[in-house]
Amino acid sequence: MNRDLLIKELRKQSDVIWDTIVIGGGATGLGIALDAASRGYKTLLLEQSDFAKATSSRSTKLVHGGVRYMAQGDLFLVMEALHERGLMLKNAPHLTFNQEFVIPVFSVWDALMYTVGLKFYDLLAGRLSMGKSYFISKKETLTRLPLLKSEGLKGGVVYHDGQFDDSRMALALAKTCAERGGLVLNYFKVTGLLKNEKEKICGVSAKELLSGDVFNLRANLVINATGVFADEISRMDNPQARHTIKPSQGVHIVLERSFLEGDSAIMIPKTSDGRVLFAIPWYNEVVIGTTDTPLEKISLEPVALEKEIQFILNTAELYMVKPPKREDILCVYAGLRPLAADPDNPASTKEVSRRHKITLSPSGLLSIVGGKWTTYRRMAEETIDKAISAGFLGKRKCITSDLNLTTLKSINSGNRLHIYGDGSAEIDEMISQNPALGIPLDSRLPYTKAEIIWICRNEMPLKVEDVLARRTRALLLNAKVSADMAAEVAYIMAMELGFDLIWQNEQIESYHELVNNYIREK
Ligand SMILES: Cc1cc2nc3c(=O)[nH]c(=O)nc-3n(C[C@H](O)[C@H](O)[C@H](O)COP(=O)(O)OP(=O)(O)OC[C@H]3O[C@@H](n4cnc5c(N)ncnc54)[C@H](O)[C@@H]3O)c2cc1C
């Protein structure tokens, strides 16, 4: 994945007709591009910012069936997601983990309901179950969650789900897609749709954001996989298209691991506002979230509201012996999920089914919205199958259920570098050639110079933020420390990618500005 070479390749192929152009480089678009490329279709993916810049790097980091949807009776959705959970753990073992969860219960009725419910959850997973669910006593609950408040506690229900690194998974999809012949480009914004004399879509115009060059690219099929931005693309197709999406914001805070202790995660099935709240160990810290706040505006850089942060802190205080305070927060991040807007009553919103929705416009724009990270593969398969059945693509079979995202043979969770998949051996080799490259950039986070150099050479970062927020997870794990790393990262990037001192200074300044959104001091 060398961006300059890929753009050269694109210029060379300027009169080529792509089988498909996918707009959007989040979980959905990258999953679709990988599905298409691996079936042998000539595939181009364009992302306006960085891969996974939007919702796909801001999730709760769960690979899950969705216990909540089971409670809502959406069994088909849960079963499908549990199946996909199993495939994701099988195909990306370097980025996914089996995580034990404990639901603390405070009444006999809850104990019974969650024990039976989660047994059923296991059953729905079938052979892809990740471990049995069972009830544990109050004493055992407190052994697993030593910092849980014990007043009124009757016990706990243990169950298993998957956990993952979302933005690294997005990069793994991009890389595997490129290996299968797909062309994936970040910082390439689609600005219009091309139509033929029959008013059918036959390509896109897109701007390469570094040079400002505009490309007119032709394709048999254009797929709109732009998440909460989907209406913007639909209006390029039909300026009269009505608003179908309203964003709803989910916020997480990251705290030091000492606020959870033990290896288990906590799941609170019903907070005071009726939401599920998770506290999950993630790398060496703990992620707590999430909220659900309808917003008016869609943004690539959503910002947590003070009331959302307070809600999480207040809820945590109800359950934790050592309640976190505002100043304990290492990072706060916000992500947007699409809610269905009612075109006849723009003030009202209702939750879109968590199942995805695929639509085909009269001029041939295939759009997909909704779904979950966990189900990205299935969503991609259905989208390409729909394109085949609508006559845009010749018939070819989907192969992604058995497509590994790494060739690493034995994954060792103690080897942190395994998150780079096949690249881990190259990073190891760089460090053994020059041990100074193995020293962390900042002693408070593990990331080394060797990793940043390898990332520059292999993962198409264009901004300091791309390295600190999504290729490493420094921003989420400790926003202030990541700001302290920005100058050195800018320097390494400049050396590797040929940027000058002015670029370095601009990058450091804009990264420091960005970090303010993730600290949100009162
Ligand atoms: C708070 C929160 C927590 C979640 N937690 C989980 C979880 O734990 N597990 C789980 O399975 N799911 C989770 N989800 C759901 C999951 O994160 C989303 O379903 C998924 O990330 C959506 O991916 P997407 O590609 O559709 O959208 P996005 O990630 O938003 O990607 C859309 C992309 O399109 C690009 N784009 C827009 N316009 C253009 C243009 N004109 N040209 C080029 N590119 C363009 C954007 O820049 C963006 O990168 C969570 C969602 C939220 C909001």
Side-chain angles (χ1 to χ4, degrees), residues 24 26-28 47-48 54-56 59-62 190 337 371 373-374:
T28 310
E47 162 56 49
Q48 67 174 346
T55 306
S56 297
S59 77
T60 314
K61 328 294 182 205
L62 291 176
V190 169
R337 53 170 65 85
W373 237 122
T374 309

Side-chain angles (χ1 to χ4, degrees), residues 206-223:
K207 191 172 187 179
E208 198 280 295
L209 295 184
L210 213 60
S211 62
D213 290 351
V214 174
F215 291 66
N216 283 329
L217 303 158
R218 291 184 302 150
N220 289 327
L221 168 69
V222 174
I223 299 176

Side-chain angles (χ1 to χ4, degrees), residues 22-30 46-64 69 88 162 164 166 185 188-192 206 224-230 232-233 236 248-252 275 278 280 290-291 300 333-338 354 368-376 379:
V22 182
I23 315 173
T28 310
L30 288 164
L46 302 174
E47 162 56 49
Q48 67 174 346
S49 174
D50 188 24
F51 303 120
K53 160 75 183 179
T55 306
S56 297
S57 59
R58 300 158 184 273
S59 77
T60 314
K61 328 294 182 205
L62 291 176
V63 190
H64 63 159
Y69 312 129
M88 200 154 149
F164 79 129
D166 47 14
L185 282 165
F188 226 111
K189 184 181 170 80
V190 169
T191 50
N224 174 10
T226 53
V228 287
F229 303 91
E232 286 175 16
I233 305 293
M236 291 177 191
S248 169
Q249 177 157 284
V251 162
H252 296 84
R275 283 193 61 75
F278 293 98
I280 311 168
T290 174
T291 56
L300 259 183
Y333 64 92
L336 301 181
R337 53 170 65 85
R354 289 296 153 109
I368 173 161
V369 269
K372 304 201 286 182
W373 237 122
T374 309
T375 52
Y376 82 90
M379 291 160 62

Side-chain angles (χ1 to χ4, degrees), residues 11 24 32 47 52-53 68 89 126 133 138 144 168 174 182 189 192 223 254 295 307 322 339 387 391-392 450 464 518:
R11 286 188 200 278
I32 293 170
E47 162 56 49
K53 160 75 183 179
R68 179 154 73 114
L89 268 96
S133 307
K138 174 175 177 174
R144 293 181 197 221
R168 287 229 52 92
K189 184 181 170 80
I223 299 176
V254 180
L295 294 185
K307 65 173 187 186
K322 182 183 157 190
L339 289 186
F392 290 102
V464 164
Y518 293 77

Side-chain angles (χ1 to χ4, degrees), residues 193-197 199-203 236-238 363:
L193 299 173
L194 308 177
K195 289 193 176 171
N196 62 19
E197 61 291 346
E199 280 302 297
K200 297 287 179 197
I201 292 172
C202 61
M236 291 177 191
D237 176 20
N238 170 13
S363 49

